[in-house]
Amino acid sequence: DSFASFALATEDPNRVPGLKEQLLDRHPYPRTAPLLSKVMVRNMIFHALWQLGILLFLIFAIGDVCESGESINLCAGVPYPGGDFFTSIRSGRPVDFDLGLLEGVNTCVPKFDPANTHSFFLINSPAAMPIDASGLSYTGYVPLRSKEYCQEVHGCGVKSQHYTIVFNVFVFLQVFNEVNARKIHNELNMFQGIMYNNMFLIVLFGTIIVQILLVQIPGLNTAFGCTDLDVYQWLGCIGLGFTSIPINFLIHFLPYEWISLGSWAGGLDEAAIDEVLETTEEADKTDVEMTAQPQPTMVRNPDGTEAS
């Protein structure tokens, strides 16, 4: 956020064609005007809703409870690397969530229950199962899973591709939204003048490079709780992050007059400001008067005493 703020605050209006004239033609803001405008608040609300929807979808709609396949991050039976982006990844969610709240919909083999025929094999005579060469055999229930089955095959733990994708998409949503944040007066072309702001470009591409290193470099990604992604997953993350651009274009056509601004948006009370200014002016006037008064001069007499 600090680098993004630095990048957005360093755009030179003298370099971008037409920007200086646009600033000079704009009416001055009153001293009590809110820091946030109605356009800014509208953009913040709808971008937050869009990003929240994407992240909730990634957290809860992808990531399957399944046995590991060709890699610890992929479900068994899914071809690699052409698997489905949304269903081939093993869940990175907490085990308690998948096994508790989603018990009725996850893909774990159900635990043994005599009333549930999908949880066991029933072996009875004459198809008894031989135990050894002595001729002894077994009849009865054979559970299809151990008590720890779901915990064992649930997923790959905290450092999963599932949650790395969530983190990666979140970062790229912010990266592309930095481009949108360059224009705060409902302009449609958020790319105007972008090539004249070198600091913005350095921060933008620097953020992308750092993000790639955090995810792909072994050891570094472990420190940040990530694991490496393949090309298809990177393309998916960048594509979802890029949706901030077209969504911002559509948001421009939404009304914003319904938004009421006030102190919560940085607005100041005119009467309170005047009272503070009056108090400050009175204090300054008192200080000036006290400074202007002649100060007594001390004179030392020949006998050693002092007189003013």
Side-chain angles (χ1 to χ4, degrees):
D1 291 342
S2 300
F3 284 107
S5 302
F6 185 64
L8 293 170
T10 54
E11 186 157 345
D12 188 354
N14 295 306
R15 296 191 60 193
V16 182
L19 182 57
K20 181 178 180 180
E21 291 74 16
Q22 180 185 356
L23 292 174
L24 294 175
D25 290 339
R26 190 179 304 152
H27 294 289
Y29 295 104
R31 62 183 179 181
T32 57
L35 295 177
L36 302 178
S37 67
K38 292 184 177 183
V39 174
M40 294 167 63
V41 173
R42 180 204 60 186
N43 293 350
M44 291 165 58
I45 292 174
F46 286 101
H47 273 291
L49 292 175
W50 176 254
Q51 294 187 17
L52 183 62
I54 289 181
L55 295 178
L56 289 176
F57 173 81
L58 291 175
I59 292 173
F60 297 109
I62 73 171
D64 197 7
V65 183
C66 55
E67 297 184 43
S68 61
E70 295 188 21
S71 83
I72 192 174
N73 288 290
L74 293 179
C75 293
V78 177
Y80 184 84
D84 191 329
F85 178 81
F86 296 107
T87 61
S88 63
I89 303 174
R90 299 178 75 198
S91 173
R93 294 180 294 268
V95 177
D96 293 339
F97 177 86
D98 279 339
L99 303 186
L101 299 180
L102 299 181
E103 186 174 0
V105 298
N106 64 38
T107 58
C108 275
V109 177
K111 64 182 179 180
F112 173 69
D113 182 1
N116 186 354
T117 57
H118 297 288
S119 66
F120 61 85
F121 283 121
L122 178 60
I123 300 176
N124 43 8
S125 297
M129 181 175 66
I131 297 178
D132 52 29
S134 64
L136 296 176
S137 59
Y138 171 79
T139 58
Y141 296 106
V142 178
L144 294 182
R145 51 162 267 200
S146 64
K147 294 181 180 180
E148 295 78 19
Y149 175 82
C150 284
Q151 284 82 353
E152 293 171 353
V153 304
H154 162 266
C156 47
V158 177
K159 298 175 178 61
S160 63
Q161 283 188 338
H162 181 194
Y163 271 18
T164 301
I165 288 174
V166 174
F167 168 60
N168 215 26
V169 170
F170 172 77
V171 170
F172 277 101
L173 283 169
Q174 314 317 313
V175 167
F176 286 106
N177 201 33
E178 285 182 30
V179 179
N180 297 328
R182 296 180 62 252
K183 304 296 181 181
I184 58 175
H185 298 288
N186 219 33
E187 300 96 329
L188 288 177
N189 185 8
M190 66 285 297
F191 294 100
Q192 181 183 11
I194 192 172
M195 300 305 296
Y196 292 92
N197 190 346
N198 296 333
M199 182 56 65
F200 181 86
L201 296 175
I202 291 173
V203 172
L204 185 71
F205 288 103
T207 303
I208 295 175
I209 293 173
V210 170
Q211 180 65 16
I212 294 174
L213 297 178
L214 290 182
V215 173
Q216 295 298 121
I217 301 299
L220 185 60
N221 56 11
T222 303
F224 284 88
C226 301
T227 186
D228 58 293
L229 303 178
D230 60 36
V231 175
Y232 300 96
Q233 292 165 340
W234 271 104
L235 293 176
C237 292
I238 295 174
L240 288 175
F242 182 78
T243 58
S244 287
I245 300 293
I247 285 298
N248 187 73
F249 180 80
L250 296 178
I251 290 175
H252 279 299
F253 297 99
L254 298 177
Y256 53 84
E257 291 79 8
W258 55 273
I259 301 174
S260 60
L261 300 177
S263 58
W264 68 270
L268 300 176
D269 181 56
E270 184 81 36
I273 292 180
D274 290 338
E275 183 178 352
V276 172
L277 290 177
E278 290 175 1
T279 304
T280 304
E281 289 175 358
E282 291 178 359
D284 293 341
K285 183 178 180 181
T286 303
D287 291 342
V288 171
E289 291 177 351
M290 293 181 63
T291 304
Q293 291 179 356
Q295 300 296 324
T297 303
M298 302 302 295
V299 178
R300 183 177 297 274
N301 296 320
D303 58 358
T305 61
E306 294 181 351
S308 58

